[in-house]
Amino acid sequence: MIYHEKSVGHIILGEATVNLAFEAQEISLASLIQQLGVMAENEKSDERVAQIADTRNWLKSFAEAASHDRAELNWLAETDQVPVFLNDYR
């Protein structure tokens, strides 16, 4: 299953979000990834575990991209450089 092509992934992501909300936990990228891991551990259906894993991997791609962007911005700040997209805000 490719996450963005299946409504199942949206349902699983919504379920993880609701689980966090009912437990009064912060809903963030990291907590959703962790919650999906918990859901997969407690799941008995191999098909659903695969769907949860696909949804989790899709979310992880955002975490990796955000981490890369922050690292680049930190490097640019340390070298007194400004990314092109920030030049308009100086």
Side-chain angles (χ1 to χ4, degrees):
M1 176 183 91
I2 298 174
Y3 175 81
H4 65 275
E5 294 179 353
K6 302 287 182 179
S7 63
V8 173
H10 296 288
I11 293 168
I12 291 169
L13 186 56
E15 183 180 334
T17 303
V18 169
N19 288 342
L20 290 171
F22 280 149
E23 294 172 8
Q25 294 184 14
E26 176 186 7
I27 299 172
S28 66
L29 187 58
S31 65
L32 284 168
I33 291 169
Q34 183 178 18
Q35 179 63 31
L36 288 168
V38 170
M39 288 168 57
E41 288 175 8
N42 295 323
E43 184 57 53
K44 295 186 184 348
S45 165
D46 290 340
E47 181 181 353
R48 183 150 159 91
V49 168
Q51 293 168 341
I52 292 169
D54 187 50
T55 303
R56 193 169 189 236
N57 289 335
W58 180 78
L59 279 178
K60 282 183 177 181
S61 71
F62 288 100
E64 291 165 3
S67 175
H68 173 74
D69 291 345
R70 279 193 301 272
E72 182 180 354
L73 287 174
N74 288 341
W75 178 81
L76 289 170
E78 289 176 12
T79 59
D80 291 326
Q81 298 180 44
V82 178
V84 173
F85 65 90
L86 293 179
N87 280 334
D88 295 333
Y89 300 102
R90 272 192 137 180

